Amino acid sequence: MLNEKVAELLNIQVNKEFYSAYLYLDFSNYYIGQGLEGFGNWYKIQAQEERDHAMLFMQYLQNNGCKVTLEAIDKPDKELKEFADPLHAGYEHEQVVTGLIHTIYEAAHEVKDFRTMQFLDWFVKEQGEEEANAEGLIRKYELFGSDPRALYMLDSELGARVYSAPSLVL
């Protein structure tokens, strides 16, 4: 049985991951509305990944005999006026999620819950990748976004992204 505090933090994370998916769907809708289908595709796939992260946390809780409580998902509240707004908001959001994962890891470490720490190792690595990807999008946009042809090529590159389910074994 999981420590009560660790289980509570994991359960909160389920809902945070679903919020992340919701946020990225909002970003996708924004870009599609602006005619940047590739950017929209990139964030739609990002939303699928976040949904899968939520499902992994749920499964881990269930595998450990813990009840999962799904809460209401907050409406995304980011004001999106410029093409770069979702990129910056996404990067900031990934930094917040990294902090949440670290908080759970720290709580598991305090009670010597090595199984949960091992489970979280994948997410720690994943968050490093998520932050790097988000920061990379900002850099690319800053380099190419002001040139319509380059923006078209970047949008095409992002449109080629395909979904790949996580390979974490519970």
Side-chain angles (χ1 to χ4, degrees):
M1 194 66 155
L2 293 178
N3 169 275
E4 188 175 322
K5 179 181 177 183
V6 172
E8 179 184 350
L9 290 170
L10 288 166
N11 210 334
I12 289 169
Q13 193 63 32
V14 169
N15 291 287
K16 296 291 186 183
E17 296 291 340
F18 280 128
Y19 172 77
S20 296
Y22 211 49
L23 179 67
Y24 290 145
L25 284 175
D26 192 46
F27 293 174
S28 176
N29 287 334
Y30 169 78
Y31 280 124
I32 290 169
Q34 297 297 316
L36 292 171
E37 301 285 332
F39 281 81
N41 175 66
W42 197 92
Y43 277 108
K44 191 178 296 180
I45 289 171
Q46 197 63 28
Q48 290 175 300
E49 284 187 8
E50 302 302 341
R51 180 207 58 217
D52 283 352
H53 294 170
M55 299 300 286
L56 288 168
F57 279 104
M58 279 180 45
Q59 187 65 56
Y60 183 77
L61 285 163
Q62 292 166 342
N63 288 352
N64 285 279
C66 297
K67 181 181 179 202
V68 176
T69 304
L70 298 177
E71 302 290 343
I73 301 171
D74 291 335
K75 179 182 176 182
D77 62 352
K78 302 295 181 192
E79 194 170 336
L80 309 174
K81 293 182 177 181
E82 305 290 330
F83 288 159
D85 289 346
L87 303 177
H88 290 284
Y91 179 57
E92 291 168 10
H93 182 72
E94 289 301 337
Q95 290 175 315
V96 168
V97 172
T98 297
L100 295 168
I101 300 293
H102 289 177
T103 298
I104 303 167
Y105 200 100
E106 184 178 352
H109 185 263
E110 286 175 9
V111 297
K112 294 182 173 39
D113 181 351
F114 302 111
R115 185 174 25 161
T116 297
M117 290 165 55
Q118 184 179 24
F119 167 71
L120 291 171
D121 283 342
W122 184 87
F123 288 96
V124 170
K125 180 178 180 279
E126 176 71 7
Q127 281 310 119
E129 292 173 11
E130 298 284 16
E131 285 187 33
N133 288 339
E135 190 174 30
L137 279 178
I138 292 169
R139 266 190 263 114
K140 285 180 180 181
Y141 182 78
E142 287 173 351
L143 284 170
F144 307 119
S146 61
D147 176 12
R149 289 184 184 121
L151 181 61
Y152 175 80
M153 290 175 58
L154 179 56
D155 190 58
S156 296
E157 175 187 321
L158 298 178
R161 183 181 186 199
V162 294
Y163 176 70
S164 174
S167 58
L168 176 64
V169 177
L170 297 177

Short mmCIF file of all heavy atoms in Angstrom, two decimals, residues 59-123:
data_model
loop_
_atom_site.label_atom_id
_atom_site.label_comp_id
_atom_site.label_asym_id
_atom_site.label_seq_id
_atom_site.Cartn_x
_atom_site.Cartn_y
_atom_site.Cartn_z
N GLN A 59 -3.24 4.19 -13.61
CA GLN A 59 -2.96 2.75 -13.58
C GLN A 59 -2.03 2.40 -12.42
O GLN A 59 -2.23 1.39 -11.74
CB GLN A 59 -2.36 2.28 -14.90
CG GLN A 59 -2.20 0.78 -15.01
CD GLN A 59 -3.56 0.08 -15.02
OE1 GLN A 59 -4.39 0.38 -15.86
NE2 GLN A 59 -3.78 -0.82 -14.09
N TYR A 60 -1.04 3.24 -12.17
CA TYR A 60 -0.11 3.00 -11.07
C TYR A 60 -0.86 3.02 -9.73
O TYR A 60 -0.66 2.14 -8.87
CB TYR A 60 1.02 4.02 -11.07
CG TYR A 60 2.04 3.75 -9.99
CD1 TYR A 60 2.98 2.73 -10.15
CD2 TYR A 60 2.06 4.47 -8.81
CE1 TYR A 60 3.91 2.45 -9.15
CE2 TYR A 60 2.98 4.21 -7.82
CZ TYR A 60 3.90 3.19 -7.99
OH TYR A 60 4.81 2.92 -6.99
N LEU A 61 -1.73 4.00 -9.56
CA LEU A 61 -2.52 4.06 -8.34
C LEU A 61 -3.40 2.82 -8.20
O LEU A 61 -3.46 2.21 -7.13
CB LEU A 61 -3.37 5.33 -8.32
CG LEU A 61 -2.62 6.62 -8.02
CD1 LEU A 61 -3.45 7.84 -8.43
CD2 LEU A 61 -2.25 6.69 -6.53
N GLN A 62 -4.07 2.46 -9.27
CA GLN A 62 -4.95 1.29 -9.24
C GLN A 62 -4.17 0.01 -8.96
O GLN A 62 -4.62 -0.84 -8.19
CB GLN A 62 -5.73 1.17 -10.55
CG GLN A 62 -6.73 2.29 -10.74
CD GLN A 62 -7.25 2.40 -12.16
OE1 GLN A 62 -6.66 1.87 -13.10
NE2 GLN A 62 -8.35 3.12 -12.33
N ASN A 63 -3.00 -0.12 -9.57
CA ASN A 63 -2.16 -1.30 -9.34
C ASN A 63 -1.70 -1.40 -7.89
O ASN A 63 -1.33 -2.49 -7.43
CB ASN A 63 -0.93 -1.28 -10.25
CG ASN A 63 -1.25 -1.55 -11.70
OD1 ASN A 63 -2.37 -1.90 -12.05
ND2 ASN A 63 -0.27 -1.35 -12.55
N ASN A 64 -1.74 -0.29 -7.19
CA ASN A 64 -1.33 -0.27 -5.79
C ASN A 64 -2.51 -0.16 -4.83
O ASN A 64 -2.34 0.20 -3.67
CB ASN A 64 -0.33 0.88 -5.56
CG ASN A 64 1.03 0.54 -6.12
OD1 ASN A 64 1.81 -0.17 -5.49
ND2 ASN A 64 1.32 1.01 -7.33
N GLY A 65 -3.69 -0.49 -5.32
CA GLY A 65 -4.88 -0.56 -4.47
C GLY A 65 -5.41 0.78 -4.01
O GLY A 65 -6.13 0.85 -3.01
N CYS A 66 -5.07 1.84 -4.71
CA CYS A 66 -5.51 3.19 -4.32
C CYS A 66 -6.69 3.64 -5.17
O CYS A 66 -6.76 3.35 -6.36
CB CYS A 66 -4.37 4.18 -4.48
SG CYS A 66 -2.94 3.85 -3.44
N LYS A 67 -7.58 4.37 -4.53
CA LYS A 67 -8.72 4.94 -5.24
C LYS A 67 -8.26 6.14 -6.05
O LYS A 67 -7.47 6.97 -5.57
CB LYS A 67 -9.79 5.37 -4.24
CG LYS A 67 -11.02 5.94 -4.90
CD LYS A 67 -12.04 6.38 -3.88
CE LYS A 67 -13.23 6.96 -4.64
NZ LYS A 67 -14.01 7.85 -3.84
N VAL A 68 -8.75 6.26 -7.26
CA VAL A 68 -8.46 7.41 -8.11
C VAL A 68 -9.69 8.33 -8.08
O VAL A 68 -10.80 7.87 -8.29
CB VAL A 68 -8.16 6.99 -9.56
CG1 VAL A 68 -7.97 8.20 -10.46
CG2 VAL A 68 -6.95 6.07 -9.61
N THR A 69 -9.45 9.59 -7.78
CA THR A 69 -10.53 10.57 -7.75
C THR A 69 -10.30 11.57 -8.87
O THR A 69 -9.30 12.29 -8.87
CB THR A 69 -10.56 11.30 -6.39
OG1 THR A 69 -10.69 10.33 -5.35
CG2 THR A 69 -11.72 12.27 -6.32
N LEU A 70 -11.21 11.59 -9.81
CA LEU A 70 -11.12 12.55 -10.91
C LEU A 70 -11.85 13.82 -10.52
O LEU A 70 -13.00 13.79 -10.11
CB LEU A 70 -11.72 11.97 -12.18
CG LEU A 70 -11.04 10.71 -12.73
CD1 LEU A 70 -11.78 10.19 -13.94
CD2 LEU A 70 -9.59 10.99 -13.06
N GLU A 71 -11.14 14.93 -10.63
CA GLU A 71 -11.71 16.23 -10.30
C GLU A 71 -12.08 16.95 -11.60
O GLU A 71 -11.70 16.54 -12.68
CB GLU A 71 -10.69 17.07 -9.52
CG GLU A 71 -10.21 16.42 -8.23
CD GLU A 71 -11.27 16.37 -7.14
OE1 GLU A 71 -12.28 17.10 -7.23
OE2 GLU A 71 -11.10 15.58 -6.20
N ALA A 72 -12.80 18.07 -11.45
CA ALA A 72 -13.12 18.90 -12.61
C ALA A 72 -11.82 19.45 -13.20
O ALA A 72 -10.88 19.75 -12.48
CB ALA A 72 -14.03 20.05 -12.20
N ILE A 73 -11.78 19.54 -14.51
CA ILE A 73 -10.61 20.08 -15.20
C ILE A 73 -10.84 21.57 -15.41
O ILE A 73 -11.86 21.98 -15.99
CB ILE A 73 -10.38 19.38 -16.55
CG1 ILE A 73 -10.17 17.89 -16.32
CG2 ILE A 73 -9.19 20.00 -17.27
CD1 ILE A 73 -10.14 17.08 -17.60
N ASP A 74 -9.90 22.38 -14.94
CA ASP A 74 -10.01 23.83 -15.09
C ASP A 74 -9.96 24.21 -16.57
O ASP A 74 -9.29 23.57 -17.37
CB ASP A 74 -8.86 24.54 -14.37
CG ASP A 74 -8.96 24.43 -12.86
OD1 ASP A 74 -10.08 24.24 -12.35
OD2 ASP A 74 -7.91 24.52 -12.20
N LYS A 75 -10.65 25.29 -16.88
CA LYS A 75 -10.60 25.86 -18.22
C LYS A 75 -9.23 26.51 -18.42
O LYS A 75 -8.77 27.24 -17.54
CB LYS A 75 -11.71 26.90 -18.38
CG LYS A 75 -11.74 27.57 -19.71
CD LYS A 75 -12.83 28.61 -19.77
CE LYS A 75 -12.77 29.34 -21.11
NZ LYS A 75 -13.78 30.39 -21.20
N PRO A 76 -8.57 26.26 -19.55
CA PRO A 76 -7.30 26.95 -19.80
C PRO A 76 -7.51 28.47 -19.76
O PRO A 76 -8.50 28.98 -20.31
CB PRO A 76 -6.91 26.49 -21.21
CG PRO A 76 -7.60 25.18 -21.36
CD PRO A 76 -8.90 25.32 -20.62
N ASP A 77 -6.60 29.16 -19.10
CA ASP A 77 -6.80 30.59 -18.89
C ASP A 77 -5.71 31.46 -19.52
O ASP A 77 -5.58 32.63 -19.20
CB ASP A 77 -6.87 30.89 -17.39
CG ASP A 77 -5.59 30.54 -16.66
OD1 ASP A 77 -4.70 29.92 -17.26
OD2 ASP A 77 -5.47 30.88 -15.47
N LYS A 78 -4.94 30.88 -20.40
CA LYS A 78 -3.87 31.64 -21.06
C LYS A 78 -4.46 32.51 -22.15
O LYS A 78 -5.26 32.05 -22.97
CB LYS A 78 -2.81 30.71 -21.66
CG LYS A 78 -2.16 29.79 -20.66
CD LYS A 78 -1.35 30.55 -19.65
CE LYS A 78 -0.68 29.61 -18.68
NZ LYS A 78 -0.13 30.29 -17.53
N GLU A 79 -4.07 33.78 -22.16
CA GLU A 79 -4.51 34.69 -23.21
C GLU A 79 -3.56 34.55 -24.39
O GLU A 79 -2.36 34.78 -24.25
CB GLU A 79 -4.53 36.12 -22.68
CG GLU A 79 -5.28 37.06 -23.59
CD GLU A 79 -5.51 38.42 -22.96
OE1 GLU A 79 -5.51 38.51 -21.72
OE2 GLU A 79 -5.65 39.39 -23.72
N LEU A 80 -4.10 34.17 -25.51
CA LEU A 80 -3.28 33.90 -26.70
C LEU A 80 -3.57 34.96 -27.76
O LEU A 80 -4.61 34.92 -28.41
CB LEU A 80 -3.60 32.49 -27.23
CG LEU A 80 -3.52 31.36 -26.19
CD1 LEU A 80 -3.99 30.04 -26.80
CD2 LEU A 80 -2.12 31.24 -25.63
N LYS A 81 -2.62 35.88 -27.91
CA LYS A 81 -2.78 36.97 -28.88
C LYS A 81 -1.78 36.88 -30.02
O LYS A 81 -2.09 37.28 -31.13
CB LYS A 81 -2.63 38.31 -28.17
CG LYS A 81 -3.73 38.61 -27.19
CD LYS A 81 -3.54 39.97 -26.57
CE LYS A 81 -4.68 40.31 -25.64
NZ LYS A 81 -4.53 41.62 -25.04
N GLU A 82 -0.58 36.43 -29.72
CA GLU A 82 0.50 36.35 -30.70
C GLU A 82 0.85 34.89 -30.94
O GLU A 82 0.65 34.04 -30.07
CB GLU A 82 1.74 37.09 -30.17
CG GLU A 82 1.50 38.53 -29.78
CD GLU A 82 1.24 39.44 -30.96
OE1 GLU A 82 1.77 39.15 -32.05
OE2 GLU A 82 0.51 40.43 -30.80
N PHE A 83 1.42 34.60 -32.11
CA PHE A 83 1.81 33.22 -32.44
C PHE A 83 2.72 32.59 -31.39
O PHE A 83 2.66 31.40 -31.15
CB PHE A 83 2.50 33.16 -33.80
CG PHE A 83 1.60 33.36 -34.99
CD1 PHE A 83 2.13 33.75 -36.20
CD2 PHE A 83 0.23 33.17 -34.91
CE1 PHE A 83 1.32 33.94 -37.32
CE2 PHE A 83 -0.59 33.35 -36.01
CZ PHE A 83 -0.05 33.74 -37.21
N ALA A 84 3.57 33.40 -30.77
CA ALA A 84 4.53 32.85 -29.80
C ALA A 84 3.91 32.62 -28.42
O ALA A 84 4.52 31.91 -27.61
CB ALA A 84 5.73 33.78 -29.67
N ASP A 85 2.74 33.16 -28.14
CA ASP A 85 2.15 33.03 -26.80
C ASP A 85 1.99 31.58 -26.34
O ASP A 85 2.39 31.25 -25.22
CB ASP A 85 0.82 33.77 -26.72
CG ASP A 85 0.97 35.29 -26.75
OD1 ASP A 85 2.11 35.78 -26.57
OD2 ASP A 85 -0.05 35.98 -26.97
N PRO A 86 1.41 30.69 -27.15
CA PRO A 86 1.30 29.30 -26.69
C PRO A 86 2.67 28.64 -26.47
O PRO A 86 2.81 27.81 -25.56
CB PRO A 86 0.54 28.60 -27.82
CG PRO A 86 -0.18 29.68 -28.53
CD PRO A 86 0.71 30.88 -28.43
N LEU A 87 3.64 29.01 -27.27
CA LEU A 87 4.97 28.42 -27.12
C LEU A 87 5.57 28.76 -25.75
O LEU A 87 6.07 27.88 -25.05
CB LEU A 87 5.91 28.91 -28.23
CG LEU A 87 5.46 28.66 -29.67
CD1 LEU A 87 6.44 29.27 -30.64
CD2 LEU A 87 5.27 27.17 -29.93
N HIS A 88 5.48 30.02 -25.38
CA HIS A 88 6.01 30.45 -24.09
C HIS A 88 5.19 29.88 -22.94
O HIS A 88 5.75 29.42 -21.93
CB HIS A 88 6.08 31.97 -24.00
CG HIS A 88 7.13 32.56 -24.89
ND1 HIS A 88 8.47 32.52 -24.58
CD2 HIS A 88 7.03 33.19 -26.08
CE1 HIS A 88 9.16 33.10 -25.54
NE2 HIS A 88 8.32 33.51 -26.48
N ALA A 89 3.87 29.88 -23.09
CA ALA A 89 3.00 29.33 -22.05
C ALA A 89 3.24 27.82 -21.89
O ALA A 89 3.22 27.30 -20.77
CB ALA A 89 1.53 29.60 -22.38
N GLY A 90 3.48 27.14 -22.99
CA GLY A 90 3.76 25.70 -22.94
C GLY A 90 5.06 25.40 -22.20
O GLY A 90 5.13 24.47 -21.39
N TYR A 91 6.08 26.19 -22.47
CA TYR A 91 7.36 26.00 -21.79
C TYR A 91 7.22 26.24 -20.29
O TYR A 91 7.68 25.45 -19.47
CB TYR A 91 8.41 26.93 -22.40
CG TYR A 91 9.78 26.83 -21.75
CD1 TYR A 91 10.44 25.62 -21.69
CD2 TYR A 91 10.39 27.93 -21.20
CE1 TYR A 91 11.69 25.51 -21.10
CE2 TYR A 91 11.64 27.84 -20.61
CZ TYR A 91 12.29 26.63 -20.55
OH TYR A 91 13.51 26.53 -19.95
N GLU A 92 6.55 27.33 -19.93
CA GLU A 92 6.32 27.63 -18.51
C GLU A 92 5.51 26.51 -17.85
O GLU A 92 5.80 26.12 -16.71
CB GLU A 92 5.59 28.96 -18.36
CG GLU A 92 6.42 30.16 -18.75
CD GLU A 92 5.61 31.44 -18.87
OE1 GLU A 92 4.41 31.46 -18.49
OE2 GLU A 92 6.16 32.43 -19.38
N HIS A 93 4.52 26.00 -18.56
CA HIS A 93 3.69 24.93 -18.01
C HIS A 93 4.52 23.66 -17.77
O HIS A 93 4.38 23.01 -16.74
CB HIS A 93 2.51 24.64 -18.93
CG HIS A 93 1.60 23.58 -18.39
ND1 HIS A 93 0.77 23.81 -17.32
CD2 HIS A 93 1.45 22.29 -18.75
CE1 HIS A 93 0.12 22.69 -17.05
NE2 HIS A 93 0.51 21.76 -17.90
N GLU A 94 5.39 23.33 -18.71
CA GLU A 94 6.23 22.14 -18.52
C GLU A 94 7.15 22.30 -17.32
O GLU A 94 7.41 21.33 -16.61
CB GLU A 94 7.02 21.84 -19.79
CG GLU A 94 6.19 21.31 -20.93
CD GLU A 94 5.42 20.03 -20.63
OE1 GLU A 94 5.81 19.26 -19.71
OE2 GLU A 94 4.42 19.79 -21.32
N GLN A 95 7.62 23.51 -17.07
CA GLN A 95 8.45 23.74 -15.89
C GLN A 95 7.64 23.51 -14.60
O GLN A 95 8.16 22.94 -13.64
CB GLN A 95 9.03 25.16 -15.92
CG GLN A 95 10.07 25.34 -17.00
CD GLN A 95 10.56 26.76 -17.11
OE1 GLN A 95 9.77 27.71 -17.09
NE2 GLN A 95 11.86 26.92 -17.23
N VAL A 96 6.38 23.92 -14.61
CA VAL A 96 5.51 23.68 -13.45
C VAL A 96 5.31 22.19 -13.25
O VAL A 96 5.40 21.68 -12.13
CB VAL A 96 4.15 24.41 -13.63
CG1 VAL A 96 3.13 23.95 -12.60
CG2 VAL A 96 4.34 25.92 -13.56
N VAL A 97 5.04 21.47 -14.33
CA VAL A 97 4.82 20.02 -14.23
C VAL A 97 6.08 19.33 -13.72
O VAL A 97 5.99 18.42 -12.88
CB VAL A 97 4.36 19.43 -15.59
CG1 VAL A 97 4.32 17.91 -15.55
CG2 VAL A 97 2.99 19.99 -15.98
N THR A 98 7.24 19.77 -14.17
CA THR A 98 8.49 19.21 -13.66
C THR A 98 8.56 19.38 -12.15
O THR A 98 8.92 18.45 -11.42
CB THR A 98 9.70 19.87 -14.34
OG1 THR A 98 9.66 19.57 -15.74
CG2 THR A 98 11.02 19.37 -13.75
N GLY A 99 8.20 20.55 -11.66
CA GLY A 99 8.19 20.80 -10.22
C GLY A 99 7.23 19.88 -9.48
O GLY A 99 7.55 19.39 -8.39
N LEU A 100 6.07 19.62 -10.08
CA LEU A 100 5.10 18.71 -9.46
C LEU A 100 5.64 17.29 -9.36
O LEU A 100 5.49 16.63 -8.33
CB LEU A 100 3.79 18.72 -10.26
CG LEU A 100 3.00 20.03 -10.29
CD1 LEU A 100 1.90 19.97 -11.33
CD2 LEU A 100 2.44 20.33 -8.90
N ILE A 101 6.28 16.83 -10.43
CA ILE A 101 6.88 15.49 -10.44
C ILE A 101 7.97 15.41 -9.37
O ILE A 101 8.05 14.42 -8.63
CB ILE A 101 7.45 15.14 -11.83
CG1 ILE A 101 6.37 15.16 -12.92
CG2 ILE A 101 8.19 13.80 -11.80
CD1 ILE A 101 5.32 14.10 -12.82
N HIS A 102 8.78 16.43 -9.28
CA HIS A 102 9.85 16.45 -8.28
C HIS A 102 9.28 16.42 -6.86
O HIS A 102 9.85 15.77 -5.97
CB HIS A 102 10.74 17.66 -8.47
CG HIS A 102 11.60 17.59 -9.69
ND1 HIS A 102 12.42 18.61 -10.07
CD2 HIS A 102 11.76 16.62 -10.62
CE1 HIS A 102 13.06 18.28 -11.18
NE2 HIS A 102 12.66 17.07 -11.54
N THR A 103 8.16 17.09 -6.64
CA THR A 103 7.52 17.08 -5.32
C THR A 103 7.05 15.68 -4.95
O THR A 103 7.24 15.24 -3.81
CB THR A 103 6.33 18.07 -5.30
OG1 THR A 103 6.83 19.39 -5.53
CG2 THR A 103 5.60 18.03 -3.97
N ILE A 104 6.47 14.97 -5.91
CA ILE A 104 6.04 13.59 -5.64
C ILE A 104 7.25 12.71 -5.36
O ILE A 104 7.25 11.90 -4.43
CB ILE A 104 5.22 13.01 -6.82
CG1 ILE A 104 4.02 13.87 -7.15
CG2 ILE A 104 4.77 11.58 -6.51
CD1 ILE A 104 3.36 13.54 -8.47
N TYR A 105 8.28 12.89 -6.15
CA TYR A 105 9.52 12.10 -5.99
C TYR A 105 10.10 12.33 -4.60
O TYR A 105 10.51 11.39 -3.91
CB TYR A 105 10.52 12.49 -7.07
CG TYR A 105 11.60 11.45 -7.31
CD1 TYR A 105 11.50 10.57 -8.37
CD2 TYR A 105 12.70 11.35 -6.47
CE1 TYR A 105 12.48 9.62 -8.60
CE2 TYR A 105 13.69 10.40 -6.69
CZ TYR A 105 13.57 9.53 -7.75
OH TYR A 105 14.53 8.58 -7.98
N GLU A 106 10.14 13.59 -4.18
CA GLU A 106 10.68 13.92 -2.86
C GLU A 106 9.85 13.27 -1.75
O GLU A 106 10.41 12.73 -0.79
CB GLU A 106 10.70 15.44 -2.69
CG GLU A 106 11.33 15.89 -1.38
CD GLU A 106 11.39 17.41 -1.27
OE1 GLU A 106 11.08 18.11 -2.25
OE2 GLU A 106 11.74 17.88 -0.18
N ALA A 107 8.53 13.30 -1.89
CA ALA A 107 7.65 12.68 -0.89
C ALA A 107 7.88 11.17 -0.84
O ALA A 107 7.91 10.57 0.24
CB ALA A 107 6.19 12.99 -1.20
N ALA A 108 8.05 10.55 -2.00
CA ALA A 108 8.32 9.10 -2.05
C ALA A 108 9.68 8.80 -1.42
O ALA A 108 9.84 7.81 -0.70
CB ALA A 108 8.26 8.60 -3.48
N HIS A 109 10.64 9.64 -1.69
CA HIS A 109 11.98 9.45 -1.12
C HIS A 109 11.95 9.54 0.40
O HIS A 109 12.61 8.74 1.09
CB HIS A 109 12.94 10.48 -1.71
CG HIS A 109 14.35 10.28 -1.26
ND1 HIS A 109 14.88 10.99 -0.21
CD2 HIS A 109 15.33 9.46 -1.71
CE1 HIS A 109 16.14 10.61 -0.02
NE2 HIS A 109 16.44 9.68 -0.93
N GLU A 110 11.19 10.48 0.94
CA GLU A 110 11.10 10.67 2.39
C GLU A 110 10.61 9.42 3.11
O GLU A 110 11.02 9.15 4.24
CB GLU A 110 10.18 11.85 2.73
CG GLU A 110 10.78 13.20 2.46
CD GLU A 110 9.82 14.35 2.69
OE1 GLU A 110 8.71 14.12 3.24
OE2 GLU A 110 10.16 15.48 2.30
N VAL A 111 9.71 8.67 2.46
CA VAL A 111 9.15 7.46 3.11
C VAL A 111 9.78 6.18 2.54
O VAL A 111 9.26 5.09 2.76
CB VAL A 111 7.61 7.42 2.99
CG1 VAL A 111 6.98 8.59 3.73
CG2 VAL A 111 7.15 7.39 1.53
N LYS A 112 10.87 6.35 1.81
CA LYS A 112 11.60 5.23 1.23
C LYS A 112 10.70 4.33 0.36
O LYS A 112 10.77 3.11 0.40
CB LYS A 112 12.28 4.40 2.33
CG LYS A 112 13.37 5.16 3.06
CD LYS A 112 14.03 4.27 4.09
CE LYS A 112 15.22 4.82 4.76
NZ LYS A 112 15.40 6.12 5.15
N ASP A 113 9.87 4.99 -0.44
CA ASP A 113 8.99 4.29 -1.38
C ASP A 113 9.75 4.15 -2.71
O ASP A 113 9.54 4.91 -3.64
CB ASP A 113 7.69 5.07 -1.56
CG ASP A 113 6.71 4.41 -2.49
OD1 ASP A 113 7.07 3.41 -3.15
OD2 ASP A 113 5.56 4.89 -2.57
N PHE A 114 10.62 3.17 -2.75
CA PHE A 114 11.50 2.99 -3.90
C PHE A 114 10.75 2.59 -5.17
O PHE A 114 11.15 2.95 -6.27
CB PHE A 114 12.60 1.97 -3.57
CG PHE A 114 13.41 2.39 -2.38
CD1 PHE A 114 13.34 1.68 -1.18
CD2 PHE A 114 14.22 3.51 -2.42
CE1 PHE A 114 14.07 2.07 -0.07
CE2 PHE A 114 14.96 3.92 -1.32
CZ PHE A 114 14.88 3.20 -0.14
N ARG A 115 9.65 1.88 -5.01
CA ARG A 115 8.87 1.47 -6.17
C ARG A 115 8.28 2.70 -6.87
O ARG A 115 8.33 2.83 -8.09
CB ARG A 115 7.76 0.51 -5.75
CG ARG A 115 6.98 -0.06 -6.90
CD ARG A 115 6.01 -1.09 -6.44
NE ARG A 115 5.64 -0.85 -5.04
CZ ARG A 115 4.56 -1.35 -4.46
NH1 ARG A 115 3.76 -2.10 -5.12
NH2 ARG A 115 4.29 -1.09 -3.21
N THR A 116 7.74 3.63 -6.07
CA THR A 116 7.19 4.85 -6.67
C THR A 116 8.30 5.70 -7.26
O THR A 116 8.13 6.29 -8.33
CB THR A 116 6.37 5.64 -5.63
OG1 THR A 116 5.26 4.84 -5.20
CG2 THR A 116 5.85 6.95 -6.21
N MET A 117 9.44 5.75 -6.60
CA MET A 117 10.56 6.51 -7.15
C MET A 117 10.97 5.93 -8.50
O MET A 117 11.23 6.68 -9.45
CB MET A 117 11.74 6.51 -6.17
CG MET A 117 11.46 7.34 -4.93
SD MET A 117 12.60 7.03 -3.55
CE MET A 117 14.17 7.31 -4.32
N GLN A 118 11.00 4.61 -8.59
CA GLN A 118 11.36 3.97 -9.86
C GLN A 118 10.32 4.29 -10.93
O GLN A 118 10.66 4.57 -12.08
CB GLN A 118 11.50 2.47 -9.68
CG GLN A 118 11.96 1.77 -10.94
CD GLN A 118 12.11 0.27 -10.75
OE1 GLN A 118 11.49 -0.33 -9.87
NE2 GLN A 118 12.93 -0.34 -11.58
N PHE A 119 9.05 4.25 -10.56
CA PHE A 119 7.98 4.62 -11.48
C PHE A 119 8.17 6.06 -11.97
O PHE A 119 8.03 6.35 -13.16
CB PHE A 119 6.62 4.46 -10.77
CG PHE A 119 5.46 5.09 -11.49
CD1 PHE A 119 4.96 4.54 -12.66
CD2 PHE A 119 4.84 6.23 -10.98
CE1 PHE A 119 3.88 5.12 -13.32
CE2 PHE A 119 3.77 6.81 -11.63
CZ PHE A 119 3.28 6.26 -12.80
N LEU A 120 8.52 6.95 -11.06
CA LEU A 120 8.66 8.37 -11.40
C LEU A 120 9.92 8.67 -12.20
O LEU A 120 9.99 9.71 -12.86
CB LEU A 120 8.65 9.22 -10.12
CG LEU A 120 7.32 9.29 -9.39
CD1 LEU A 120 7.50 9.97 -8.05
CD2 LEU A 120 6.25 9.98 -10.22
N ASP A 121 10.91 7.77 -12.17
CA ASP A 121 12.14 8.00 -12.93
C ASP A 121 11.84 8.28 -14.40
O ASP A 121 12.45 9.14 -15.02
CB ASP A 121 13.09 6.79 -12.81
CG ASP A 121 13.82 6.74 -11.49
OD1 ASP A 121 13.89 7.77 -10.79
OD2 ASP A 121 14.33 5.66 -11.15
N TRP A 122 10.91 7.54 -14.97
CA TRP A 122 10.55 7.73 -16.38
C TRP A 122 10.01 9.15 -16.58
O TRP A 122 10.34 9.83 -17.56
CB TRP A 122 9.53 6.69 -16.81
CG TRP A 122 9.18 6.79 -18.27
CD1 TRP A 122 9.83 6.19 -19.30
CD2 TRP A 122 8.10 7.55 -18.84
NE1 TRP A 122 9.22 6.54 -20.50
CE2 TRP A 122 8.15 7.35 -20.24
CE3 TRP A 122 7.10 8.34 -18.32
CZ2 TRP A 122 7.25 7.95 -21.11
CZ3 TRP A 122 6.19 8.94 -19.19
CH2 TRP A 122 6.29 8.73 -20.58
N PHE A 123 9.17 9.62 -15.64
CA PHE A 123 8.57 10.94 -15.78
C PHE A 123 9.61 12.05 -15.60
O PHE A 123 9.52 13.09 -16.25
CB PHE A 123 7.42 11.11 -14.78
CG PHE A 123 6.20 10.32 -15.15
CD1 PHE A 123 5.98 9.07 -14.59
CD2 PHE A 123 5.31 10.80 -16.09
CE1 PHE A 123 4.87 8.33 -14.95
CE2 PHE A 123 4.19 10.06 -16.46
CZ PHE A 123 3.98 8.82 -15.89
#
